[in-house]
Amino acid sequence: MTLETTIAPALAVTRLRVEFPGKGGSFVAVDDVSFAVEKGTTFGIVGESGSGKSTTVRAILGLVASTGEIAVDGESVFSRGRVLKPVMRRTMQMVFQDPFTSLNPRRRVGDILAESMRIAGERSKTTIQQRISTVIERVGMESDSLRKYPGAFSGGQRQRIGIARALLMSPEILLLDEPTSALDVSVQAQVLNLLRELQRELGLTYLFISHDLAVVRYLCDRVAVMQKGSLVEEGTSEEVFEHPQEEFTRELVASVEER
Amino acid sequence: MIESLSEQLLRVRDLRIWLNTVDGPVEVVKGISLDVLAGECVALVGESGSGKSITARSLLGLLPRENSSVEGEITLRGGPENVVTATEAQLRKMRGRAVSMVSQDPMTSLDPVARIQRQLRDTIRLREPRLSGEQVRQRALDMLREVGISDPERVLVAWPQQLSGGLRQRVTIALALVAQPALLIADEPTTALDVTVQAQVLRMLTRLRSELGMGLLIITHDMSVVRSVADRVAVMSHGEIVEFGEARQVLDSPQHPYTRGLVASTVTMSTVRDRPLRTVASFVEDTAAAEDGAIR
């Protein structure tokens, strides 16, 4: 190895392609998508419904069949047979739009969190309890929340629990799919602030998917615009929103700026 | 403010609503007053649980009587003396003509097993039973064109699920408008739509309002919607209207701490990046602290 080692991006997606078979031929949901996210930064993908942005995230996690290369710190996330490597299940974590749909309503929050650590391979009960307490406090929740059921929490609190669950295994990358879209504006502001603090303190890398241009502009360092499965434009937040090059991006920006 | 009754399409005075829960009745709307003038767009803005949607439903007399109780005065031009005390027959006569409603999810107001033409036809016939089949069809096509649908013939024979979200929302607006209501209540009409479609629907509502001289009451949580369409805005929090005034004025120099927090915490295309967002809680705390300071 030479001294001039180049640092690999935290997440590199190269020529990603997802096809869904259909009756009249297959449908290409993600078409030759490539981008790289530097460590500790936030990369946003904006697009309208059906543009392929959520499918891109699912493909990165190996939840849908895809072709192309996905690498974390220069290492492919897939092993032979294109199965996600077990270590990647810790490295990359996902936060959903509505965490409530992914929290079992009949189990206490503490049990739900403990279970996801056991599934990820953690055996020690003490480690699990300590880690859960640390994380739940870190997202700004009281420790007695752990004894309650998901139904006892507001949308913003549930999203904090969703973020806590994602943080349990000390991931490097969070894949955030519309994490604040279902929240009231005042709660959205709190969750966005929390995400920024966590990134700064833990050095996390974010892939942030949203249809909300203003939120993406606020939070993201770099932004890609997705339309019909392809990335039509990519650049820094300033470049894309202040000087959009593509017609579609200009149309998107204009539709929120006339407000 | 012009207070002559002839100008008012909607007049709400001291409206109170209780919902029955397992713990007994809970007051969710606590004595609000509101009016909408002819040709005007008023936005009722608030966060979830503020009581804005319950208020909207009560204006049409749509709250189920067995598990809610309503007090106060709701007067609509062309409607019964008081919607709160009106009979079901009076309410049926009022709905569609005096007031119509568009909801957030168009799928809930479209019949999934009827083509668009039947849904429009039934609504038109209800109001004007004497029109011929051809006249009804023409009226339906005109209405679809009116809401900005460029190929109304195709949409007329379509099933709701064959249409995109934006088209569906246009169709429900067409349905709400065929009876030419004096007032249209739109509950989060663009929340479920993509941003480019949102902008189109808002432009269309504004155009229809001036063309048809209709009043518009928009219920929303989205301050950017308020900015783009509303003449006046009523800010609702915990069942009360905390601020009511000209939209520009309220947005640019909000007076109530809650409104200030709401405006400041909204992320817009000009929000300063690399700086934490202010939250409603921080404004309310600041104000409380300032008031404490003033007392001391």
Side-chain angles (χ1 to χ4, degrees):
Chain A
M1 193 180 278
T2 64
L3 283 172
E4 293 172 325
T5 44
T6 48
I7 300 164
L11 175 68
V13 172
T14 315
R15 310 210 62 174
L16 183 69
R17 184 179 167 90
V18 177
E19 258 182 70
F20 292 122
K23 265 187 272 176
S26 64
F27 172 75
V28 182
V30 178
D31 190 6
D32 199 19
V33 162
S34 303
F35 60 89
V37 189
E38 299 303 325
K39 186 170 169 48
T41 69
T42 302
F43 188 92
I45 301 182
V46 287
E48 308 214 304
S49 32
S51 60
K53 51 193 195 303
S54 292
T55 307
T56 301
V57 170
R58 292 165 57 91
I60 291 171
L61 289 168
L63 298 172
V64 291
S66 63
T67 60
E69 194 44 59
I70 293 154
V72 167
D73 296 328
E75 180 196 345
S76 174
V77 301
F78 297 122
S79 52
R80 276 176 178 279
R82 214 173 165 82
V83 185
L84 200 67
K85 290 176 184 165
V87 62
M88 293 300 168
R89 289 184 209 285
R90 291 168 168 246
T91 309
M92 296 191 290
Q93 290 290 330
M94 176 131 184
V95 176
F96 300 93
Q97 175 171 353
D98 181 5
F100 194 58
T101 55
S102 54
L103 298 176
N104 185 341
R106 314 191 73 143
R107 302 197 58 187
R108 294 172 202 273
V109 167
D111 296 337
I112 296 174
L113 296 179
E115 184 181 34
S116 66
M117 282 192 79
R118 276 195 299 274
I119 290 170
E122 184 55 61
R123 295 270 177 267
S124 155
K125 270 193 179 162
T126 330
T127 311
I128 289 177
Q129 289 316 318
Q130 280 172 353
R131 181 70 188 149
I132 289 175
S133 309
T134 310
V135 164
I136 205 77
E137 196 181 311
R138 186 60 208 81
V139 298
M141 302 274 294
E142 304 286 336
S143 56
D144 69 348
S145 321
L146 297 170
R147 289 194 294 274
K148 296 182 185 162
Y149 293 91
F153 298 100
S154 68
Q157 291 170 323
R158 290 199 298 239
Q159 193 54 288
R160 285 175 194 270
I161 296 169
I163 294 169
R165 180 165 66 173
L167 293 178
L168 283 176
M169 300 312 296
S170 309
E172 290 169 28
I173 300 170
L174 289 192
L175 307 170
L176 302 139
D177 191 356
E178 305 269 11
T180 63
S181 302
L183 304 178
D184 279 325
V185 285
S186 61
V187 181
Q188 167 172 287
Q190 293 166 7
V191 172
L192 290 173
N193 285 343
L194 173 66
L195 287 172
R196 288 171 49 119
E197 287 165 29
L198 292 172
Q199 179 168 55
R200 204 177 50 236
E201 285 168 27
L202 307 172
L204 293 168
T205 303
Y206 292 161
L207 179 62
F208 187 87
I209 308 296
S210 181
H211 71 283
D212 189 329
L213 270 68
V215 168
V216 169
R217 177 189 159 280
Y218 170 72
L219 195 71
C220 300
D221 301 291
R222 291 186 72 81
V223 176
V225 181
M226 199 160 183
Q227 184 193 23
K228 293 178 184 159
S230 302
L231 293 191
V232 295
E233 183 158 1
E234 194 212 310
T236 65
S237 208
E238 283 85 2
E239 284 166 0
V240 171
F241 291 117
E242 315 301 333
H243 310 287
Q245 298 300 308
E246 295 296 318
E247 184 55 38
F248 178 69
T249 315
R250 277 199 285 269
E251 202 182 306
L252 271 184
V253 173
S255 65
V256 289
E257 273 187 341
E258 68 185 56
R259 304 273 177 85
Chain B
M1 187 61 44
I2 314 140
E3 267 282 355
S4 79
L5 196 65
S6 63
E7 287 284 324
Q8 284 175 326
L9 291 180
L10 169 69
R11 182 186 143 92
V12 176
R13 288 296 174 271
D14 201 25
L15 178 68
R16 288 169 192 278
I17 302 174
W18 289 264
L19 296 182
N20 297 340
T21 71
V22 282
D23 303 323
V26 174
E27 190 176 15
V28 292
V29 175
K30 302 169 183 169
I32 65 165
S33 297
L34 181 75
D35 51 1
V36 179
L37 309 181
E40 184 189 38
C41 176
V42 174
L44 184 58
V45 60
E47 301 192 283
S48 33
S50 61
K52 59 188 193 304
S53 292
I54 292 277
T55 300
R57 294 174 65 82
S58 74
L59 301 180
L60 288 108
L62 283 173
L63 294 178
R65 295 189 190 217
E66 62 276 16
N67 50 24
S68 64
S69 51
V70 184
E71 270 178 22
E73 194 189 311
I74 300 170
T75 320
L76 282 151
R77 186 194 284 176
E81 204 169 316
N82 186 356
V83 172
V84 173
T85 53
T87 64
E88 193 51 42
Q90 287 174 314
L91 291 176
R92 252 199 309 273
K93 225 176 112 197
M94 164 194 90
R95 294 182 197 129
R97 267 244 190 272
V99 59
S100 217
M101 182 149 159
V102 176
S103 64
Q104 173 175 352
D105 179 5
M107 257 340 233
T108 57
S109 43
L110 291 175
D111 182 348
V113 294
R115 289 180 198 272
I116 302 303
Q117 58 184 2
R118 200 179 100 207
Q119 310 197 33
L120 276 166
R121 192 183 62 207
D122 289 353
T123 314
I124 294 170
R125 280 259 159 81
L126 210 59
R127 288 296 157 206
E128 294 179 74
R130 316 188 69 168
L131 290 181
S132 74
E134 188 47 34
Q135 282 171 316
V136 170
R137 188 183 140 79
Q138 273 314 319
R139 179 71 62 85
L141 286 172
D142 288 347
M143 207 61 243
L144 291 177
R145 267 187 217 105
E146 193 68 52
V147 295
I149 291 174
S150 54
D151 50 351
E153 283 87 359
R154 183 185 70 89
V155 170
L156 212 53
V157 295
W159 302 92
Q161 61 274 23
Q162 292 175 320
L163 304 175
S164 67
L167 272 179
R168 264 184 229 154
Q169 192 57 294
R170 284 165 197 268
V171 169
T172 56
I173 293 171
L175 269 171
L177 292 179
V178 278
Q180 298 174 331
L183 176 71
L184 181 69
I185 299 176
D187 190 1
E188 304 274 8
T190 60
T191 305
L193 305 175
D194 281 330
V195 283
T196 49
V197 185
Q198 276 185 18
Q200 291 164 12
V201 169
L202 289 175
R203 269 200 299 271
M204 182 197 75
L205 283 173
T206 306
R207 177 174 59 79
L208 291 173
R209 176 168 62 96
S210 58
E211 280 177 18
L212 307 175
M214 180 178 73
L216 189 57
L217 179 64
I218 286 198
I219 318 292
T220 184
H221 71 283
D222 188 339
M223 296 307 262
S224 68
V225 169
V226 176
R227 192 174 279 280
S228 69
V229 295
D231 300 307
R232 289 192 298 154
V233 57
V235 182
M236 204 164 172
S237 172
H238 294 105
E240 290 176 81
I241 290 179
V242 297
E243 190 160 356
F244 189 18
E246 301 294 324
R248 291 279 149 190
Q249 205 171 339
V250 171
L251 290 170
D252 294 339
S253 50
Q255 298 301 307
H256 193 278
Y258 176 77
T259 318
R260 266 186 268 167
L262 205 58
V263 170
S265 61
T266 301
V267 185
T268 69
M269 292 301 273
S270 47
T271 301
V272 180
R273 304 178 62 229
D274 312 321
R275 198 187 291 172
L277 296 163
R278 300 221 50 188
T279 60
V280 171
S282 72
F283 271 87
V284 176
E285 280 161 19
D286 284 0
T287 309
E291 279 167 2
D292 278 359
I295 294 164
R296 282 187 211 119

Coordinates of all heavy atoms in Angstrom, one line a residue, chain B residues 44 48 68 119 138 141 160 163 184 207 219 246:
Chain B
L44 N -57.6 27.9 7.7 CA -57.7 27.5 9.1 C -56.5 26.6 9.3 O -56.4 25.5 8.8 CB -59.0 26.8 9.4 CG -59.3 26.4 10.9 CD1 -59.2 27.6 11.8 CD2 -60.6 25.7 11.0
S48 N -51.8 18.6 14.1 CA -52.7 17.5 14.4 C -53.2 17.7 15.8 O -52.5 18.0 16.7 CB -52.1 16.2 14.2 OG -50.7 16.2 14.4
S68 N -70.9 13.0 19.8 CA -70.4 14.4 19.9 C -71.5 15.3 20.3 O -72.7 15.0 20.1 CB -69.8 14.8 18.6 OG -70.7 14.9 17.6
Q119 N -70.5 9.0 -11.3 CA -70.5 9.8 -10.1 C -70.8 11.3 -10.3 O -71.6 11.9 -9.5 CB -69.1 9.7 -9.4 CG -68.7 8.2 -9.3 CD -67.5 8.0 -8.4 OE1 -67.3 8.6 -7.4 NE2 -66.7 6.9 -8.7
Q138 N -72.6 17.0 -21.1 CA -71.9 18.3 -21.4 C -71.5 19.0 -20.1 O -70.4 19.5 -20.0 CB -72.8 19.2 -22.2 CG -72.7 18.9 -23.7 CD -71.3 18.8 -24.2 OE1 -70.4 19.5 -23.8 NE2 -71.1 17.9 -25.1
L141 N -68.5 17.2 -18.7 CA -67.3 17.5 -19.4 C -66.8 18.9 -19.1 O -65.6 19.1 -18.9 CB -67.6 17.3 -20.9 CG -67.7 15.9 -21.4 CD1 -68.1 15.9 -22.9 CD2 -66.4 15.2 -21.3
P160 N -62.0 5.2 -10.8 CA -61.1 6.1 -9.9 C -59.7 5.6 -9.8 O -58.7 6.3 -9.9 CB -61.8 6.0 -8.6 CG -63.2 5.8 -8.9 CD -63.2 4.9 -10.1
L163 N -56.8 6.5 -12.3 CA -56.3 7.9 -12.4 C -55.2 8.1 -11.4 O -55.2 7.5 -10.3 CB -57.5 8.9 -12.1 CG -58.7 8.7 -12.9 CD1 -59.8 9.7 -12.4 CD2 -58.4 9.0 -14.4
L184 N -66.6 26.6 -0.6 CA -66.0 25.3 -0.7 C -65.0 25.1 0.5 O -64.2 26.0 0.7 CB -65.2 25.2 -2.0 CG -64.5 23.9 -2.2 CD1 -65.4 22.7 -2.5 CD2 -63.5 23.9 -3.4
R207 N -58.0 30.2 -9.1 CA -58.7 30.6 -10.4 C -60.2 30.4 -10.2 O -61.0 31.3 -10.5 CB -58.1 29.8 -11.6 CG -58.8 30.2 -12.9 CD -58.1 29.4 -14.0 NE -58.1 28.0 -13.9 CZ -59.1 27.2 -14.2 NH1 -60.2 27.7 -14.6 NH2 -59.0 25.9 -14.0
I219 N -58.4 24.1 5.1 CA -57.9 23.6 6.3 C -56.5 23.0 6.0 O -56.4 22.1 5.2 CB -58.8 22.4 6.9 CG1 -60.3 22.8 6.7 CG2 -58.4 22.0 8.3 CD1 -60.8 23.9 7.5
E246 N -55.0 39.2 8.5 CA -54.6 39.1 7.1 C -53.4 38.1 7.0 O -52.5 38.2 7.8 CB -54.1 40.5 6.6 CG -55.1 41.6 6.7 CD -56.3 41.4 5.7 OE1 -56.0 40.9 4.6 OE2 -57.4 41.7 6.1

